[in-house]
Amino acid sequence: RKEVEQDPGPFNVPEGATVAFNCTYSNSASQSFFWYRQDCRKEPKLLMSVYSSGNEDGRFTAQLNRASQYISLLIRDSKLSDSATYLCVVNRYGNKLVFGAGTILRVKS
Amino acid sequence: DTGVSQNPRHKITKRGQNVTFRCDPISEHNRLYWYRQTLGQGPEFLTYFQNEAQLEKSRLLSDRFSAERPKGSFSTLEIQRTEQGDSAMYLCASSVGQRGGLSNEQFFGPGTRLTVL
């Protein structure tokens, strides 16, 4: 079993839709949690950190449930430019990041 | 450009040849990481440096792989006797290490895409 599991998708949604991605992690010692975005053939870029209290950045909301070892990302009012692969990432202790395989989002007009 | 840079961006080589990649991190970052990404997968950790010290290596890093960061600035990743299974994107990232071992955000370079024929 992989340390970070994600539904690979693809999620095909129309512009303006709300879409949610989920992720589970297996190592309870994980300390930091992130969503990275990766465009085709580009490097990953940090989208947002994830906190137990939940955090929001514009149209994006991330949530962490430590008890269930579950991380979520909600995108509201999807734009064409949101089309990308979304990587769920955990960090055990300050050094290496452990990535999920990614969830592909395609937003269509 | 003050981001992480990697060279070359693409490398095509024949099986059995040696290849070397270079990574220049963001100048004030003391931590440097190497990851490998294959199609349809997320990046996988290979190794990381704090300044010039290599502090952790993944089991993915076989004896054919060696990484250095001699002056605590740029880093090189060498693969000896390349195999077709080494074909992947090799990503470098850097960050500022905090006290207690925590790191800030890791910033990734554009990667070096290796194709082994």
Side-chain angles (χ1 to χ4, degrees):
Chain A
R1 183 189 171 194
K2 291 189 175 181
E3 188 167 341
V4 179
E5 301 262 17
Q6 294 182 250
D7 179 347
F11 285 64
N12 295 300
V13 303
E15 274 186 292
T18 295
V19 61
F21 305 141
N22 303 316
C23 160
T24 57
Y25 61 96
S26 60
N27 194 321
S28 58
S30 300
Q31 295 193 329
S32 305
F33 308 88
F34 311 93
W35 284 100
Y36 272 70
R37 171 192 167 129
Q38 187 170 29
D39 293 302
C40 188
R41 303 183 81 84
K42 299 282 190 179
E43 71 272 24
K45 292 185 179 179
L46 179 66
L47 179 66
M48 57 198 306
S49 301
V50 189
Y51 307 109
S52 297
S53 55
N55 48 307
E56 188 172 312
D57 183 3
R59 298 181 294 108
F60 299 83
T61 300
Q63 190 75 49
L64 166 66
N65 184 321
R66 283 188 183 267
S68 303
Q69 295 180 197
Y70 173 94
I71 305 165
S72 65
L73 176 67
L74 183 76
I75 305 175
R76 290 180 298 278
D77 188 23
S78 299
K79 312 289 185 192
L80 292 173
S81 57
D82 293 334
S83 298
T85 297
Y86 290 83
L87 298 161
C88 178
V89 186
V90 305
N91 182 329
R92 236 177 288 146
Y93 190 67
N95 38 60
K96 69 178 183 184
L97 299 178
V98 181
F99 287 80
T103 298
I104 297 170
L105 172 64
R106 296 181 187 144
V107 182
K108 308 206 170 183
S109 57
Chain B
D1 187 351
T2 56
V4 178
S5 62
Q6 292 187 245
N7 288 289
R9 295 291 306 278
H10 303 274
K11 179 70 177 178
I12 299 174
T13 191
K14 292 183 179 178
R15 190 176 52 187
Q17 298 294 304
N18 298 344
V19 294
T20 300
F21 310 141
R22 175 176 170 132
C23 171
D24 288 88
I26 295 171
S27 58
E28 63 268 26
H29 287 184
N30 60 342
R31 291 192 173 184
L32 186 148
Y33 312 79
W34 285 98
Y35 294 83
R36 180 173 69 186
Q37 186 174 23
T38 53
L39 195 62
Q41 300 299 316
E44 294 175 294
F45 172 79
L46 293 178
T47 188
Y48 100 97
F49 294 83
Q50 178 152 315
N51 301 312
E52 65 277 7
Q54 188 173 19
L55 296 186
E56 187 174 346
K57 294 198 296 186
S58 163
R59 287 172 294 179
L60 293 175
L61 215 64
S62 75
D63 291 344
R64 297 184 297 105
F65 288 70
S66 62
E68 294 182 343
R69 194 182 183 198
K71 297 181 181 178
S73 56
F74 73 91
S75 175
T76 58
L77 177 68
E78 180 183 17
I79 309 174
Q80 296 182 325
R81 305 182 303 281
T82 52
E83 301 173 357
Q84 288 183 325
D86 296 331
S87 296
M89 173 77 87
Y90 289 84
L91 291 161
C92 176
S94 69
S95 73
V96 176
Q98 297 182 37
R99 287 183 182 177
L102 296 176
S103 280
N104 288 326
E105 175 185 352
Q106 291 186 22
F107 292 83
F108 284 80
T112 295
R113 186 171 295 281
L114 173 66
T115 302
V116 182
L117 301 175

